[in-house]
Amino acid sequence: MSIADNLQKINSTVPNHVTLVAVSKTKPVSVIQEAYDVGQRVFGENKIQEMVEKYDQLPNDIKWHMIGHLQRNKVKYMAHFVDLIHGVDSFKTLKEINKQALKHNRLINCLLQVKIATEDTKFGMSLDELSSILDSEELKTLENVSINGLMGMASFTEDKKQIKKEFNFLKKTFNQLKNEYPELTTISMGMSGDYKIAIEEGSTMIRVGSAIFGLRNYI
Ligand SMILES: *Cc1c(COP(=O)(O)O)cnc(C)c1O
């Protein structure tokens, strides 16, 4: 199947309130252009340098999402164009994003990454850590970042019940926080292997790579 076919197939099953982020990490610009040509506008990358190179070569109405773990010293390279940063997992990082956004007189949208997987290798914060960021007085001084929601990655497992449980936990956490912070609107959860479960559990944004572009040689 072609990229166009894959996109059409996925889009036909994804409800309108769910945004499809096409995860193009490791894929060349020619392949991204193919998806762009059939209407895809939101792309996700997990390495800042790679995203910057692609941004420079591709149409400027693409919305670039940073989905990977952030290296604070590299935030400056994407601050002039990044549309949404999914994986914010510390206040320090948020401060750096704010500082760089200010230099470009921009507001950068961010999601806070929540640890929902049982694996130690996955990044993310606990509910206490999330609340301490959202409640902090200092957050109000960061006028160039906007926290729009939460992001999570489920365990790498075939156990669908386990995945469902983890997504459900993220949705519950989101609902709980939304009572206090109505500005939270986005729940980024679901990848190629589990986006259907994620949507059932309340995802509003799915990050899909291999189901669109085929398998990658490396992560
Ligand atoms: C690579 C990646 C994805 C996409 O993974 P696929 O299984 O190829 O859909 C989604 N989210 C994050 C954070 C990723 O790093």
Side-chain angles (χ1 to χ4, degrees), residues 23 25 46 67 151 153 191-192 207-210 216:
V23 176
K25 62 188 183 193
N46 71 338
I67 63 169
M151 178 267 209
M153 277 175 97
M191 311 184 5
S192 292
R207 310 175 309 268
V208 179
S210 44
R216 292 175 297 274

